[in-house]
Amino acid sequence: MVHGASQSNEDDTPAQISMAGTWTLSDVVPGCKVWVHRPMGGKGGQMTTLHAEVISIRDKPQPNVPHAHGTGLSLSTNGDEKVEEHEYYVHYDQWNKRLDEWIPTTRVLLDQELTWPKPPKKEQPKRAAEKKLPKKAGRASSSSQVQTPTGDGTATPVGVKRKHEDEEDTSAEASGMATPTNELEHSRNAGLSKAQEIEQLRTSGSMSHQHEARVKNLVKIEIGRHIIEPWYFSPYPKEFSYTPVLYICEFCLRYWASETQFRRHRTKCTLRHPPGNEIYREKEISFFEIDGRRQKQWCRNLCLLSKCFLDHKTLYFDVDPFLFYCMVKRDQYGCHLVGYFSKEKECGEGYNVACILTLPQYQRHGYGRLLMEFSYELTKRENKVGSPEKPLSDLGLLGYKAYWKEIIVDFVLNIYRTGGKEADISVDEISQKTGILQTDVMTALHELQLLKWYKGQHVIVLGDEVLARHEKTVAKQRRRIDPTRLQWKPPVFSRAQLSFGW
């Protein structure tokens, strides 16, 4: 008997399908795939049919009655009559995870087929050569877990950071969260190439194999004058999950489920700007530098808020190793948070950004590009080159590629104007002058198709199409970073300041 062939056949068993008319709503369990109606938007109220995976099942929320999130069905003696009182949390195939939502059972199409979840694969014992190496000193031990915030808005989690591949940390599994590294390892086991792994992270999200983290636990967030809908799961305390609105103070970032408590806090809160040093000011835009070690609570609350809109990062257990650079918009009421990026105080990989986010209410106004430009301005002040930490989110990937292309074409054009069309320029020179890492420069050059082979060497050729596109981009009225207004010197930390209590 060939055990390997038998195991392979068992793992490759296709998912079973129940045809229309052979299943009912009471048969649906988490992991099943069904066909559902989804509104297309607009005033017409038209519906489209999509294939969706059922992630979770809960009782339909009752007015003024708190409900608990669960995955089981309530007991009933009336069959499917009771099933109508449930809701399904679904993920639409080939759609971004931020569009996942709770739907009523009436949107499920019973006249279509139902796909049952595949049986779990049997784990094969690892060979001795495949065992992980011991953890490096100075990292979190495998017993460290992502801590849960407390109920008064004073959280105890962590900075937003990518897990390292050489760590063996069980905290992600214990807290219901997955890391990009775990996702990559799972993809390698599935036989995917590295490019496919990154694409899977970008489209599916790093938490696609963790049930609890796949379900958004917040309905709406009120922060300042804006009410926004979260995109992804964020580990706020369980008592705040599925409340109609989570109220967040836009200055101190503390949070409440009660509007009365929140309004009372707003009359007492004296903070009107991020608790750090203002290092840049131009018109109504300012940047503040916040040390995660000095302002732990504020930075932890910022990480919880940003996790609602970032799925490719995981919450790390401490914010001490990070500096946070927050962009705010000033008015007579205070400094309103627009976005931020964080960076490690000491990064061996040369990343100049660990996490970057523009809040949804300020997106599509050019603020994301301003954050990127500011991060590279800090990198040039340090006389270094840098790159954002990978993998990037879908919006982050598009934004950075557009920024790299614009900056590189603009730099090459200036060289041509001063030195003529035959001016010598190298990729390393572009990298040093712009602060963009050489691999990112090559990525932009290849996507723009600027590299040509001429007389035994590569040359940069700016075609008419590239020039026309660049002129159209430059013609847009965009805010730029003025380096002369940056009052900042690269911070220097002692060994004791970089110990972070590990």
Side-chain angles (χ1 to χ4, degrees), residues 378-396:
L378 298 184
T379 301
K380 289 187 285 186
R381 283 288 182 97
E382 295 176 305
N383 295 320
K384 298 179 181 179
V385 296
S387 178
E389 188 173 299
K390 310 301 188 302
L392 292 167
S393 65
D394 50 354
L395 298 179

Side-chain angles (χ1 to χ4, degrees), residues 109-135:
L109 302 180
L110 296 174
D111 58 349
Q112 298 290 335
E113 62 186 23
L114 177 143
T115 304
W116 296 95
K118 289 184 178 181
K121 295 181 180 180
K122 293 184 179 180
E123 296 183 1
Q124 296 181 353
K126 292 185 178 181
R127 294 177 296 179
E130 296 177 346
K131 291 183 178 179
K132 291 188 177 181
L133 297 175
K135 300 181 294 294

Side-chain angles (χ1 to χ4, degrees), residues 307-474:
K307 187 64 188 69
C308 293
F309 312 103
L310 294 174
D311 187 52
H312 64 296
K313 299 290 183 180
T314 185
L315 288 178
Y316 211 48
F317 83 100
D318 204 353
V319 294
D320 287 14
F322 296 92
L323 292 170
F324 295 81
Y325 295 89
C326 298
M327 179 169 62
V328 299
K329 196 172 182 179
R330 302 189 318 276
D331 60 15
Q332 66 271 27
Y333 301 106
C335 297
H336 308 279
L337 182 65
V338 173
Y340 84 101
F341 67 88
S342 61
K343 62 183 296 185
E344 292 186 74
K345 297 176 181 177
E346 196 73 23
C347 181
E349 291 86 354
Y351 295 131
N352 65 348
V353 167
C355 177
I356 185 169
L357 172 71
T358 303
L359 292 178
Q361 62 267 33
Y362 294 105
Q363 291 181 2
R364 303 186 65 84
H365 290 81
Y367 293 120
R369 187 195 180 283
L370 203 63
L371 282 169
M372 297 175 192
E373 186 176 358
F374 190 80
S375 68
Y376 279 106
E377 193 61 43
L378 298 184
T379 301
K380 289 187 285 186
R381 283 288 182 97
E382 295 176 305
N383 295 320
K384 298 179 181 179
V385 296
S387 178
E389 188 173 299
K390 310 301 188 302
L392 292 167
S393 65
D394 50 354
L395 298 179
L397 184 64
L398 294 174
Y400 265 102
K401 284 186 176 181
Y403 173 79
W404 294 334
K405 293 175 185 178
E406 180 183 346
I407 295 299
I408 291 173
V409 171
D410 188 66
F411 178 78
V412 174
L413 276 176
N414 290 334
I415 294 294
Y416 283 173
R417 290 167 183 165
T418 56
K421 295 184 179 181
E422 301 298 328
D424 292 333
I425 186 174
S426 64
V427 172
D428 184 66
E429 182 180 355
I430 297 175
S431 175
Q432 293 296 329
K433 296 295 185 180
T434 62
I436 303 174
L437 193 67
Q438 291 88 338
T439 55
D440 297 334
V441 173
M442 292 299 297
T443 297
L445 292 177
H446 279 297
E447 291 205 359
L448 290 170
Q449 298 181 354
L450 300 185
L451 289 178
K452 307 294 182 182
W453 185 256
Y454 180 73
K455 293 184 179 180
Q457 62 178 353
H458 283 99
V459 296
I460 298 177
V461 179
L462 296 177
D464 294 337
E465 183 180 352
V466 174
L467 292 176
R469 191 186 310 120
H470 181 70
E471 290 177 0
K472 185 177 179 180
T473 302
V474 173

